[in-house]
Amino acid sequence: MNEGGSRIRRRVAVRKRNRPSLESIFASPTAADLQPGDEEDDEEEMMAGSRRKKTAEVQPVENNDSEEDMFGDYDSFAENSFLAHVDDLEQYMQLPEHRKHASDLATDDLCSESDKHNKLSVTTIDNFTELKMDEHTTNESRQEDVCIEPEPDLLYDIPSSQVLYFENLHNSSNDLGDQSTKERDCNSSSHKTVNEELPQNSIEQHQQTDDSSSKVRTSSEENRRKSLKEHLKSAMTGNAKAQTPIFSKTKQLKETLLSEEINVAKKTIESSSDDLGPFYSLPSKVRDLYVQFKGIGKLYEWQHTCLTLNSVQERKNLIYSLPTSGGKTLVAEILMLQELLCRRRDVLMILPYVAIVQEKISGLSSFGIELGFFVEEYAGSKGKFPPIKRREKKSLYIATIEKGHSLVNSLIETGRIGSLGLVVVDELHMIGEGSRGAILEMTLAKVLYTSKTTQIIGMSATLNNVEDLQEFLQAEYYTSQFRPVELKEYLKINDAIYEVDSKAENGMTFSRLLNYKYSDTLKKMDPDHLVALVTEVIPSYSCLVFCPTKKNCENVAEMICKFLSKEYLKHREEEKHEVIKNLKNVSSGNLCPVLKRTIPFGVAYHHSGLTSDERKLLEEAYSTGVLCLFTCTSTLAAGVNLPARRVILRAPYVAKEFLKRNQYKQMIGRAGRAGIDSFGESILILQEKDKQQVLELISRPLENCYSHLVQEFTKGIQTLFLSLIGLKIATNLDDIYHFMNGTFFGVQQKILLKEKSLWEITVESLRYLTEKGLLQKDTTDKSEEEFQHSFHITKLGRASFKGTIDLAYCDVLYRDLKKGLEGLVLESLLHLIYLTTPYDMASQCDPDWMIYFRQFSQLSPAEQNVAALLGVSENFIGKKASGQAIKKKVDKDTVNRLYLSFVLYALLKETNIWSVSEKFNMPRGYIQSLLTGAATFSSCVLHFCEGRAKQLYNAGYKSLTHLANANPEVLIRTIDHLSRRQAKQIVSSAKMLLHEKAEALQEEVEELLRLPSDFPGIASSTEKA
């Protein structure tokens, strides 16, 4: 390249979100850049270079999805900050031989991301540095002028602090006239696979540029430019005050390769081609992540067939059904990733239980971090309504049935339901199970009615009447009997074991007799031969024993351990001690005595009486083989995935009810672990009296799913109508009837409705809601036809709908809150806790009256006032405890709810679940469920009450201080439906809270100003005295 005449114009293109590293900005000059000098200069240069190298090392990129960082990896003003590097640079520039390089260093290549600690991604080939020669311009001093022009999309994508820095730097360069800078090559390193694909000629061209530019020298500019430090400091501090766009700094390895493959996948999905791209329309990185995180290297044949179905390619709704452990979830995950990465739309996954939601969150979060999408939990008290609207990244919402319904409602209300590209429902058969099934049906019906572009995928292992579900969801159906591990079903009657055989005359054939020597003591303790059955597989293989009740789980675990040999104690002994140690750590030093005895043998019980922390630890120990036997209830079958070599059903009962075919299939489906076992076994233990029922159980088809929308009156059809009108999905009788025809209930109306028609049920339900004060007919509607009459939601109706309150309790809650407002006891938190205690848990509560009386007698006067206000007297509790007859009628639900309030109040004061569990003789798992339920219900109550809070806020009362200084008479005139007594109560409560806050702050001030008692001066004077 001709040094004398050419002016090189560089265009730098930086990939989105890639930020220049400090080493690239302040790279020390190469050996070719430095002129030979005396030994002292060389020595100074080496020292300065080594100092710069030390301070300019970039820390590894953190995984951070908060998107709150404005200055990227160097936002600190401390000694290792960005400006500290500038200080080092300026010291370096003070050296006589090196001042002339200041300009070069300031405008060093901003595209360079190479660092031995940070392997960031390279730009795409199209974005590589373009060198353009301008043959008509020469420079008398034979210098090369470098002009950096960031492309428009560059300035849009990087943080504004960097943009301002570019502009200041560019202006400074213009002011300097003919100042020159050396040409540097744009080095960026990423994954080896990308580097290997770069064209050889591009690399050679950059190397030639670097070789020629290394010979360029710059003239002195000491009096012609401002300090670089001042430029940067003014840019960064000035810009920090401005509103800046927020950008994620999550793993900057994101990758040209991934971006290119996503673009290819987008084009593939949009085209009609059968070519699915690297991995089912997804980047090959997804396949690599499945190998890395889940050990899945290849899909089953049925999974490939399902993913390549025409209906799936055309984004039609789909229902698919396979036996448990067949790999259903993987198909759903791939479809979800297609929606998130390729179609760039949000996804909702609905799961039946909180534990499964948490398990799925844990499994998919790593995919979200690597592939650039958010994974958000909607379970218990977690979840934001409406969800945060993302500009760039998309969200995967993983929700329970109830939270999924609330999420869909919030998206419809804000007009964002179209942003939901896919809804996945696991355990679709639950649509036929009580109130939860009704809520699931409402959710899916609303999605179908309001968004024609949202795809619905449903999956289950136990579906029978699929045609009805197909009609409801307008879906295609795929099924397969594939199971990765063969399942052998057995029945045990006395000492004999029979294999289930559908071809045999009575459905079973004799297999073998149990060969195990039983002592007389063992026969009495273990009449069902459980010890013999479990010792055939443990400890080498795992085993699950399903028991009818929670207490039976604990008893069976202890009984088995009593008869196991001492050899079992030696199996993975140290790891079992570690499990016990971890259980103590999560329980504040406490340990269940049953687990203390059983875990050394590798045995534990698993039911809802455990806390969530205990459950997680035990499940992890079982999954890794440290524990080899679980005695559990039927909920484990529908919960987290814990397969076993052998599954034993202790009896054909769940609690006192005989086993259903669906439940039986769920339980035995846990037998056989893919990739570990060659087969799985299930053994159902039965008595002679149950033999005929069991034979019918194993031979009959699965139970049909039936809609519970009308059967669950308050949680079903009434709640649906209230939300339809509240969300303005359908506001008149005709539209509501049309909506009902499209529900699962509408599909099954001929089967389910015998006496009344769907039209009559619709009219009756609307009339009931109107009479209850939740709906009103629109008086402005002049239509004479009844079916065209419009309805609108009342304030009570809107509060119930917003708070997702069961309509059976909404008027009770309103009455309780209104009563509380008139006489809220603020001297104690008991009254507030009572108001947030869930009604449904209170109705199922059975108090221990002696404990109730003991707790009642320990109440303070203020707490006794709360009980008196609720109508519960100590005399009543005393009579119940002593078993005396009671003439005075007291509301049972109120009494039970107050008892649960005592439990929560004790938990608030003691914060230790174990001590509260012991005090009230309740399972610690139940207390934790009560706490979670109270947290969820308090959130509902908050939304229920938001109407009044918003009224006050809109009227100008925006803080506690405003309310404390308000005039009650003005409040009455300003706020609708506010009585004088209520207004005075609001003002006095606000004054009291404000006074308490002021006192607390005053105490804090006094504490801060008080001289510490252990102050050295005071201590020494005391000693002298």
Side-chain angles (χ1 to χ4, degrees):
M1 185 180 291
N2 183 7
E3 277 186 25
S6 57
R7 174 187 173 92
I8 299 174
R9 187 176 185 80
R10 265 199 323 158
R11 179 179 294 274
V12 179
V14 181
R15 256 189 61 71
K16 183 177 180 181
R17 297 181 189 271
N18 282 359
R19 295 176 176 137
S21 70
L22 296 180
E23 282 192 350
S24 64
I25 294 176
F26 301 119
S28 56
T30 62
D33 293 326
L34 300 174
Q35 294 181 1
D38 57 49
E39 290 179 2
E40 289 181 8
D41 289 342
D42 287 342
E43 200 170 314
E44 286 179 5
E45 164 58 19
M46 287 172 67
M47 288 172 64
S50 114
R51 184 171 63 250
R52 284 193 310 282
K53 183 176 180 182
K54 186 175 180 180
T55 55
E57 282 184 357
V58 182
Q59 296 299 319
V61 178
E62 295 178 14
N63 299 338
N64 184 1
D65 273 338
S66 66
E67 298 195 355
E68 293 175 354
D69 196 348
M70 183 163 61
F71 294 118
D73 288 331
Y74 34 83
D75 59 349
S76 169
F77 284 83
E79 70 175 10
N80 287 325
S81 72
F82 189 53
L83 295 180
H85 292 283
V86 179
D87 285 331
D88 280 344
L89 176 66
E90 291 193 325
Q91 288 175 28
Y92 169 74
M93 292 193 308
Q94 298 306 313
L95 299 173
E97 292 293 320
H98 306 138
R99 274 195 198 110
K100 59 186 177 182
H101 295 293
S103 173
D104 297 355
L105 298 173
T107 54
D108 196 311
D109 187 357
L110 296 170
C111 186
S112 175
E113 301 278 16
S114 172
D115 186 82
K116 65 182 178 183
H117 300 293
N118 258 341
K119 291 190 175 181
L120 306 181
S121 63
V122 296
T123 55
T124 58
I125 292 167
D126 291 342
N127 284 343
F128 249 92
T129 307
E130 297 173 5
L131 301 177
K132 296 186 180 180
M133 303 296 297
D134 186 356
E135 296 179 356
H136 303 288
T137 308
T138 58
N139 193 309
E140 289 180 7
S141 60
R142 299 194 170 204
Q143 296 169 348
E144 295 174 353
D145 187 16
V146 180
C147 180
I148 298 175
E149 291 183 7
E151 291 179 358
D153 59 334
L154 166 67
L155 297 183
Y156 177 77
D157 284 330
I158 62 173
S160 56
S161 54
Q162 304 290 325
V163 177
L164 189 55
Y165 166 61
F166 284 147
E167 291 172 354
N168 286 349
L169 198 61
H170 184 64
N171 293 337
S172 173
S173 180
N174 290 341
D175 291 341
L176 296 175
D178 291 329
Q179 166 198 339
S180 66
T181 59
K182 63 182 178 178
E183 176 67 22
R184 306 275 303 176
D185 124 66
C186 179
N187 295 322
S188 179
S189 77
S190 178
H191 311 292
K192 288 182 181 178
T193 53
V194 184
N195 277 331
E196 288 165 6
E197 292 172 7
L198 298 179
Q200 187 64 32
N201 59 352
S202 293
I203 296 168
E204 288 172 1
Q205 184 179 11
H206 290 300
Q207 286 172 345
Q208 290 167 7
T209 306
D210 191 38
D211 289 340
S212 78
S213 64
S214 67
K215 299 174 184 177
V216 179
R217 300 294 178 264
T218 58
S219 60
S220 175
E221 59 168 6
E222 190 173 354
N223 300 319
R224 290 183 293 167
R225 65 166 293 180
K226 286 173 68 179
S227 164
L228 176 62
K229 180 178 176 180
E230 291 303 313
H231 271 289
L232 294 175
K233 192 168 183 179
S234 62
M236 293 171 72
T237 54
N239 208 44
K241 297 173 184 175
Q243 290 291 329
T244 59
I246 298 173
F247 296 91
S248 173
K249 94 182 190 189
T250 320
K251 275 197 177 176
Q252 292 170 328
L253 43 64
K254 291 251 171 86
E255 326 120 11
T256 305
L257 182 62
L258 181 59
S259 176
E260 284 176 352
E261 288 188 345
I262 288 177
N263 288 332
V264 169
K266 279 184 191 174
K267 290 173 184 173
T268 303
I269 283 182
E270 289 165 4
S271 69
S272 58
S273 167
D274 292 332
D275 179 14
L276 292 176
F279 182 67
Y280 299 99
S281 303
L282 290 164
S284 56
K285 182 171 182 181
V286 175
R287 178 178 53 215
D288 298 339
L289 290 175
Y290 270 108
V291 174
Q292 181 185 339
F293 294 139
K294 300 195 175 184
I296 299 172
K298 188 180 177 184
L299 270 65
Y300 296 130
E301 189 178 335
W302 83 263
Q303 292 171 327
H304 174 76
T305 305
C306 187
L307 286 166
T308 53
L309 289 171
N310 286 335
S311 54
V312 173
Q313 300 302 309
E314 294 165 10
R315 291 192 78 249
K316 290 182 179 176
N317 295 345
L318 176 71
I319 300 170
Y320 62 98
S321 176
L322 280 99
T324 303
S325 303
K328 297 184 295 295
T329 308
L330 180 59
V331 171
E333 286 180 7
I334 290 172
L335 292 172
M336 291 192 298
L337 290 173
Q338 285 180 0
E339 201 68 32
L340 289 160
L341 300 178
C342 304
R343 299 186 186 96
R344 307 291 297 160
R345 295 174 77 191
D346 297 329
V347 173
L348 168 62
M349 187 178 201
I350 298 176
L351 301 168
Y353 303 111
V354 174
I356 310 179
V357 169
Q358 290 169 344
E359 184 186 35
K360 189 58 67 179
I361 288 279
S362 174
L364 289 176
S365 291
S366 48
F367 283 83
I369 291 167
E370 293 290 339
L371 298 171
F373 61 86
F374 289 97
V375 181
E376 300 185 37
E377 181 179 345
Y378 280 78
S381 57
K382 293 184 178 178
K384 184 175 175 61
F385 302 104
I388 297 168
K389 194 172 184 179
R390 313 279 184 191
R391 188 175 66 87
E392 288 293 334
K393 293 185 179 182
K394 296 302 165 188
S395 292
L396 168 57
Y397 309 113
I398 302 181
T400 55
I401 291 171
E402 294 78 9
K403 287 287 182 177
H405 183 228
S406 298
L407 183 67
V408 167
N409 281 345
S410 69
L411 289 172
I412 293 171
E413 188 174 24
T414 53
R416 288 166 51 195
I417 190 66
S419 67
L420 200 61
L422 176 64
V423 176
V424 174
V425 182
D426 196 6
E427 310 294 355
L428 184 61
H429 62 271
M430 288 196 72
I431 200 168
E433 295 185 13
S435 61
R436 304 193 80 213
I439 294 169
L440 180 57
E441 181 182 344
M442 287 190 279
T443 306
L444 296 175
K446 286 174 186 175
V447 171
L448 286 165
Y449 193 85
T450 57
S451 177
K452 303 302 178 189
T453 59
T454 303
Q455 185 184 14
I456 295 175
I457 305 285
M459 51 182 168
S460 175
T462 54
L463 284 177
N464 191 29
N465 55 332
V466 181
E467 298 81 8
D468 290 348
L469 284 165
Q470 274 186 270
E471 188 180 342
F472 165 47
L473 295 176
Q474 301 146 39
E476 303 287 321
Y477 179 58
Y478 177 84
T479 186
S480 169
Q481 291 307 309
F482 171 82
R483 207 176 188 280
V485 178
E486 183 190 0
L487 173 62
K488 296 176 182 178
E489 296 178 48
Y490 297 96
L491 303 176
K492 180 191 164 296
I493 306 171
N494 299 323
D495 290 344
I497 294 179
Y498 301 85
E499 185 170 0
V500 174
D501 184 0
S502 57
K503 296 175 184 175
E505 187 177 344
N506 62 350
M508 61 182 189
T509 55
F510 177 78
S511 176
R512 64 188 172 98
L513 282 171
L514 266 181
N515 184 21
Y516 191 87
K517 292 181 180 179
Y518 265 69
S519 64
D520 292 337
T521 310
L522 185 52
K523 278 181 183 176
K524 289 179 183 177
M525 294 286 289
D526 182 23
D528 294 327
H529 307 98
L530 277 171
V531 174
L533 292 172
V534 300
T535 49
E536 288 178 349
V537 287
I538 66 168
S540 302
Y541 300 98
S542 56
C543 182
L544 294 174
V545 179
F546 284 102
C547 304
T549 65
K550 287 183 281 191
K551 190 63 183 171
N552 192 230
C553 288
E554 297 177 31
N555 293 341
V556 167
E558 284 206 276
M559 182 273 293
I560 290 172
C561 289
K562 280 180 183 176
F563 296 101
L564 289 178
S565 71
K566 302 296 180 185
E567 291 298 313
Y568 286 90
L569 294 169
K570 297 175 184 176
H571 179 73
R572 302 180 75 163
E573 189 174 2
E574 288 185 11
E575 290 165 278
K576 287 186 283 197
H577 284 312
E578 191 66 26
V579 172
I580 291 174
K581 181 183 171 184
N582 291 337
L583 284 169
K584 285 183 177 178
N585 288 340
V586 298
S587 304
S588 306
N590 297 287
L591 180 64
C592 170
V594 176
L595 291 176
K596 187 178 180 180
R597 289 190 289 270
T598 62
I599 287 176
F601 288 93
V603 180
Y605 65 85
H606 185 288
H607 57 60
S608 60
L610 295 166
T611 65
S612 57
D613 289 331
E614 287 175 315
R615 257 199 315 272
K616 282 177 187 174
L617 283 171
L618 292 175
E619 286 165 6
E620 188 181 332
Y622 178 85
S623 299
T624 54
V626 177
L627 298 179
C628 52
L629 174 65
F630 264 173
T631 57
C632 49
T633 53
S634 60
T635 51
L636 185 137
V640 291
N641 186 24
L642 293 173
R645 172 65 167 272
R646 175 175 289 180
V647 169
I648 301 169
L649 280 70
R650 173 85 171 71
Y653 291 90
V654 173
K656 295 179 182 178
E657 291 185 13
F658 197 81
L659 204 61
K660 292 179 183 175
R661 174 72 174 169
N662 287 354
Q663 292 171 322
Y664 173 70
K665 276 291 189 185
Q666 287 273 11
M667 290 183 196
I668 67 170
R670 294 295 178 201
R673 296 170 296 175
I676 301 173
D677 299 327
S678 54
F679 65 92
E681 301 171 316
S682 72
I683 301 173
L684 172 56
I685 300 171
L686 63 142
Q687 309 301 322
E688 280 290 347
K689 64 183 179 69
D690 295 321
K691 184 177 177 181
Q692 195 55 44
Q693 272 185 290
V694 169
L695 290 175
E696 289 173 13
L697 169 75
I698 60 174
S699 59
R700 67 170 173 249
L702 295 163
E703 289 85 4
N704 288 337
C705 278
Y706 292 112
S707 170
H708 280 69
L709 199 59
V710 173
Q711 192 175 336
E712 296 291 332
F713 199 53
T714 56
K715 284 189 176 179
I717 194 168
Q718 288 186 6
T719 301
L720 174 62
F721 287 179
L722 196 64
S723 64
L724 288 179
I725 294 165
L727 294 169
K728 297 183 171 56
I729 296 172
T731 55
N732 61 49
L733 183 55
D734 192 40
D735 290 344
I736 293 169
Y737 176 68
H738 176 65
F739 183 96
M740 281 298 295
N741 275 305
T743 61
F744 189 41
F745 181 82
V747 170
Q748 295 182 324
Q749 57 182 297
K750 291 179 181 176
I751 304 167
L752 298 175
L753 295 177
K754 303 295 182 186
E755 298 175 359
K756 296 177 182 177
S757 67
L758 181 59
W759 175 266
E760 289 173 323
I761 285 175
T762 305
V763 171
E764 280 183 14
S765 298
L766 288 169
R767 187 181 297 126
Y768 178 84
L769 289 169
T770 307
E771 288 171 358
K772 206 169 181 181
L774 300 169
L775 290 179
Q776 275 185 352
K777 276 190 178 179
D778 201 336
T779 52
T780 59
D781 197 343
K782 304 293 182 183
S783 175
E784 295 180 6
E785 299 291 337
E786 185 185 12
F787 65 84
Q788 289 181 340
H789 275 304
S790 290
F791 292 86
H792 69 264
I793 196 165
T794 63
K795 287 183 178 178
L796 178 60
R798 182 166 295 282
S800 303
F801 150 63
K802 284 277 191 182
T804 61
I805 303 292
D806 184 346
L807 299 187
Y809 303 121
C810 70
D811 49 351
V812 182
L813 175 62
Y814 180 66
R815 189 175 64 244
D816 285 347
L817 290 172
K818 196 172 179 181
K819 194 174 181 182
L821 190 65
E822 291 171 358
L824 188 65
V825 179
L826 290 171
E827 294 170 68
S828 160
L829 292 173
L830 181 62
H831 199 172
L832 287 171
I833 290 171
Y834 173 82
L835 292 173
T836 56
T837 303
Y839 289 101
D840 55 347
M841 293 190 80
S843 61
Q844 300 162 13
C845 174
D846 187 16
D848 182 318
W849 295 106
M850 282 305 297
I851 294 172
Y852 203 162
F853 181 72
R854 197 179 307 126
Q855 292 299 316
F856 205 103
S857 61
Q858 293 172 6
L859 294 178
S860 68
E863 290 159 357
Q864 286 179 357
N865 287 342
V866 175
L869 194 69
L870 298 172
V872 181
S873 66
E874 188 174 359
N875 183 41
F876 171 81
I877 303 298
K879 285 184 177 180
K880 289 291 284 185
S882 60
Q884 295 179 34
I886 299 167
K887 296 178 182 179
K888 187 181 177 183
K889 194 175 180 182
V890 178
D891 184 32
K892 182 187 173 185
D893 288 338
T894 303
V895 173
N896 290 0
R897 199 169 172 222
L898 183 61
Y899 183 67
L900 292 183
S901 302
F902 284 175
V903 177
L904 289 169
Y905 192 43
L907 195 60
L908 181 71
K909 289 190 288 187
E910 298 182 29
T911 69
N912 188 330
I913 285 179
W914 285 81
S915 60
V916 176
S917 168
E918 190 177 331
K919 184 181 287 185
F920 287 89
N921 194 25
M922 284 181 168
R924 56 196 179 281
Y926 176 82
I927 291 174
Q928 194 173 53
S929 299
L930 175 62
L931 184 61
T932 306
T936 306
F937 186 64
S938 63
S939 175
C940 295
V941 173
L942 175 67
H943 290 296
F944 185 89
C945 300
E946 267 182 352
R948 176 55 53 83
K950 280 184 178 177
Q951 281 181 315
L952 290 166
Y953 187 87
N954 293 336
Y957 300 98
K958 298 182 179 181
S959 70
L960 201 60
T961 312
H962 284 115
L963 281 174
N965 292 286
N967 185 334
E969 298 301 323
V970 176
L971 276 180
I972 296 166
R973 292 196 298 271
T974 311
I975 309 299
D976 293 338
H977 312 297
L978 188 69
S979 68
R980 181 171 278 99
R981 185 176 177 180
Q982 288 172 337
K984 287 180 178 178
Q985 185 68 36
I986 287 172
V987 173
S988 61
S989 298
K991 283 180 178 176
M992 184 180 290
L993 289 170
L994 199 65
H995 183 66
E996 287 175 1
K997 192 175 179 181
E999 281 188 347
L1001 287 171
Q1002 186 62 40
E1003 285 176 12
E1004 190 176 345
V1005 169
E1006 289 173 2
E1007 186 65 31
L1008 287 169
L1009 296 176
R1010 190 180 297 123
L1011 200 63
S1013 57
D1014 58 349
F1015 191 71
I1018 295 175
S1020 59
S1021 62
T1022 308
E1023 286 171 9
K1024 287 177 183 178

